[in-house]
Amino acid sequence: MIPPAWISRPDEVNAQVARWQEEHSEIFLAESRRQFAGYPVWALTVTDRSIDDAGKRKLTIYKPHAHEPAPIAAQMNVINQLLTGETFDGRASEFDNERVLRECLIVFMPDANPEGTARAPVEAWDGSEYTNDEFWAWMRGPDPETGLMWKRVDIYDDREEEVLPTRRGIVYEQIDEHRFVEPNRHHASSLFQWIFELLRRRDDWSMMLSLHQTEFVNSPHNAMMILPCLYDELPEDIQRYEREWAQEIVDAWGQVAGANPIPEIKPLGYSDEQRRYFVDCWGDLYQRIPIVTSEIQNNSPCTPPALQQRLNEVAIRTSIERLLRV
Ligand SMILES: [Zn+2]
């Protein structure tokens, strides 16, 4: 069941963005880049626009992967709290709105690949309709021989692949007639095009929060924080900041009914090719800005959509509270 405060479909996101633009333009700026498939990829700035940005603390929040919709729903619900004082289902804002708007500039990128989101067969993955194998075949496309998921690459060209999936995986973003990228692993994605644009505009970003979901197969846990794969090589102040920030989110999750976060906080454990994608794409940014990743369970009855959304909201709220404090 889709929770009452859940908005993730691109048509609903676009309509809500238009409403906010209409009603809250003094504290809300909506900008979009059009992805190849024609959908707007939003960067939504929330701040008191009458106050100079120079002294504000700055946070970017983004969601790269189209098969992970809860971070969209969470960002939309947090934005609504900051703009209207209420969640979509009428709970009072958990923030000191006036202070957040005065002291912070927050850019939300609720969905870096709306075309992928639009092609998903469900609004939320709750584990009731698709096995993980079926879900993963939606994510990367079904391999024509096995029916199981196709491969994970940073970019592919449909003229050059010997075997193509029978249906394009929703995680891949089309960037021209023939090429498709994994948004978190290639600089040609709308995600990275937006991040580079935000970095061109200002170089004083305090934090970046990357929101994800994963399946936690054979694990009793349903949430975890991940540090950058290059964590051990980062400047000490960034290491300390990221470690404390991630710990605060894990501690906050511990207060949520149904949450079972992994207590240990570690750097991303990929090796070989997958690690190389991250080093190539993110290595330079990791040296400059504290960036942490949250992962909430997807496609499991253990973590229903309302809890998926809640845990993402708590990660965002904890990050904004830290932004105000540190
Ligand atoms: Zn992801």
Side-chain angles (χ1 to χ4, degrees):
M1 203 189 74
I2 302 302
W6 179 288
I7 290 178
S8 66
R9 274 179 19 209
D11 58 337
E12 293 185 346
V13 168
N14 296 346
Q16 185 60 52
V17 167
R19 272 194 291 278
W20 286 332
Q21 260 178 313
E22 180 79 21
E23 293 164 14
H24 301 286
S25 60
E26 70 292 351
I27 49 175
F28 179 74
L29 175 67
E31 298 173 282
S32 69
R33 303 176 60 88
R34 199 154 292 275
Q35 64 178 164
F36 181 79
Y39 288 78
V41 178
W42 295 108
L44 306 173
T45 303
V46 176
T47 191
D48 184 336
R49 299 178 65 201
S50 70
I51 298 173
D52 183 51
D53 291 336
K56 290 174 183 166
R57 297 139 189 232
K58 301 176 182 83
L59 162 65
T60 297
I61 301 170
Y62 52 87
K63 200 282 300 198
H65 290 147
H67 58 286
E68 302 165 9
I72 308 174
Q75 289 180 81
M76 296 297 285
N77 207 26
V78 167
I79 296 170
N80 204 63
Q81 289 177 60
L82 291 170
L83 299 184
T84 73
E86 283 188 353
T87 61
F88 289 123
D89 56 348
R91 280 183 296 117
S93 172
E94 299 178 306
F95 301 91
D96 179 344
N97 278 7
E98 205 239 338
R99 190 172 164 219
V100 173
L101 295 166
R102 190 177 63 236
E103 298 182 16
C104 305
L105 181 149
I106 307 171
V107 176
F108 295 87
M109 223 182 294
D111 189 352
N113 181 11
E115 189 259 351
T117 305
R119 285 193 299 114
V122 293
E123 271 184 77
W125 298 91
D126 63 6
S128 70
E129 291 177 67
Y130 297 89
T131 65
N132 277 335
D133 278 330
E134 291 165 341
F135 166 62
W136 293 328
W138 273 99
M139 169 174 60
R140 292 185 201 142
D143 184 287
E145 276 161 35
T146 63
L148 300 173
M149 69 175 161
W150 197 61
K151 58 187 177 179
R152 171 185 273 182
V153 289
D154 53 350
I155 183 166
Y156 70 91
D157 184 320
D158 63 11
R159 295 164 299 190
E160 292 168 10
E161 294 291 334
E162 282 178 25
V163 177
L164 282 167
T166 52
R167 172 185 69 229
R168 174 158 53 94
I170 62 176
V171 75
Y172 289 112
E173 180 187 20
Q174 185 164 13
I175 55 164
D176 59 29
E177 283 297 325
H178 292 287
R179 293 186 305 157
F180 305 84
V181 297
E182 209 275 34
N184 209 30
R185 287 168 171 74
H186 200 281
H187 282 173
S189 66
S190 295
L191 171 74
F192 271 108
Q193 292 302 306
W194 253 129
I195 287 176
F196 292 140
E197 170 60 23
L198 296 175
L199 291 167
R200 265 193 296 276
R201 292 180 188 180
R202 44 180 66 96
D203 61 1
D204 57 347
W205 294 100
S206 308
M207 342 159 47
M208 297 176 102
L209 176 63
S210 188
L211 299 172
H212 293 260
Q213 297 190 261
T214 192
E215 290 67 67
F216 293 89
V217 176
N218 297 326
S219 164
H221 297 288
N222 62 0
M224 67 175 160
M225 290 304 298
I226 304 175
L227 302 167
C229 59
L230 293 174
Y231 179 78
D232 292 338
E233 300 161 32
L234 297 183
E236 230 172 84
D237 57 331
I238 291 187
Q239 284 183 337
R240 190 180 330 108
Y241 192 102
E242 289 174 344
R243 204 168 49 237
E244 290 174 0
W245 176 16
Q247 186 65 54
E248 285 166 12
I249 294 175
V250 169
D251 291 346
W253 282 336
Q255 309 301 308
V256 179
N260 185 1
I262 296 178
E264 300 84 25
I265 298 164
K266 294 182 193 164
L268 184 70
Y270 284 137
S271 56
D272 304 329
E273 189 184 38
Q274 296 301 325
R275 178 184 168 87
R276 184 174 54 74
Y277 294 150
F278 275 87
V279 172
D280 289 352
C281 280
W282 292 99
D284 174 53
L285 283 169
Y286 287 154
Q287 297 290 336
R288 298 161 56 189
I289 305 167
I291 301 174
V292 295
T293 294
S294 84
E295 295 273 7
I296 304 300
Q297 190 171 39
N298 207 0
N299 202 46
S300 166
C302 299
T303 311
L307 182 56
Q308 297 174 25
Q309 182 179 15
R310 182 70 196 137
L311 293 172
N312 273 285
E313 287 175 12
V314 168
I316 296 168
R317 188 196 71 210
T318 306
S319 302
I320 294 174
E321 286 168 357
R322 179 174 182 83
L323 188 67
L324 286 169
R325 198 181 63 247
V326 177

